[in-house]
């Protein structure tokens, strides 16, 4: 599975952004998809995950109620809708794929990151 993330940018606090991650490979629909982020000087952290059917999701506490992960298996794409953005959401966002559950943070495939910058 090859992954290509896009949609990052510079926004003001309170704004919204939607990230997309396009996947290649026939097995996309079988994979759990996740989003992670890495802020400057910090370790990479889990943000959200969605199982292959879209029926189960998992979110980091820091983004619950503000971010929504979704997927369109027909388009081989996973999305991260980010609302009410805060300066602390500034980071490089990565999409990833694995064959495990939404609670498994060990991912097999990673895309390149897309930078999200939130100004105060």
């Amino acid at each position: 599975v090859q992954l290509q993330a896009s949609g990052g940018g510079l926004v003001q606090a309170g704004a919204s952004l939607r990230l997309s991650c396009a996947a290649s490979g026939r097995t996309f629909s079988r994979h759990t998809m996740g989003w992670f982020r890495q802020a400057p000087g910090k370790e990479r952290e889990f943000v959200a995950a969605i199982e292959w059917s879209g029926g189960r999701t998992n979110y980091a506490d820091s983004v619950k109620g503000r971010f929504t992960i979704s997927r369109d298996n027909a388009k081989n794409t996973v999305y991260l809708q980010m609302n009410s953005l805060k300066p602390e959401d500034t980071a490089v966002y990565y999409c990833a794929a694995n064959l495990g559950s939404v609670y498994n943070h060990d991912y097999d495939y990673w895309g390149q990151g897309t930078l999200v910058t939130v100004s105060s």
Side-chain angles (χ1 to χ4, degrees):
V1 178
Q2 293 184 320
L3 306 171
Q4 179 82 28
S6 62
L10 171 63
V11 297
Q12 291 189 328
S16 298
L17 271 179
R18 188 176 80 157
L19 305 183
S20 299
C21 176
S24 63
R26 294 177 296 173
T27 61
F28 169 80
S29 62
R30 292 163 47 189
H31 283 76
T32 289
M33 299 298 297
W35 286 97
F36 290 74
R37 66 187 181 186
Q38 186 166 20
K42 295 187 176 181
E43 293 188 354
R44 186 171 61 196
E45 64 175 0
F46 169 77
V47 175
I50 185 167
E51 71 173 8
W52 67 273
S53 69
R56 183 168 295 180
T57 57
N58 183 30
Y59 294 92
D61 289 343
S62 59
V63 306
K64 279 181 182 176
R66 299 188 299 122
F67 290 12
T68 302
I69 189 170
S70 62
R71 67 190 295 161
D72 186 338
N73 288 342
K75 295 182 178 180
N76 277 14
T77 303
V78 62
Y79 305 97
L80 185 68
Q81 177 67 43
M82 305 186 295
N83 298 329
S84 302
L85 282 162
K86 304 175 181 179
E88 51 264 44
D89 294 318
T90 295
V92 176
Y93 284 72
Y94 299 89
C95 59
N98 74 29
L99 288 171
S101 80
V102 295
Y103 304 107
N104 175 14
H105 294 179
D106 186 13
Y107 280 71
D108 302 306
Y109 305 98
W110 293 86
Q112 95 298 348
T114 185
L115 176 62
V116 173
T117 304
V118 184
S119 64
S120 58

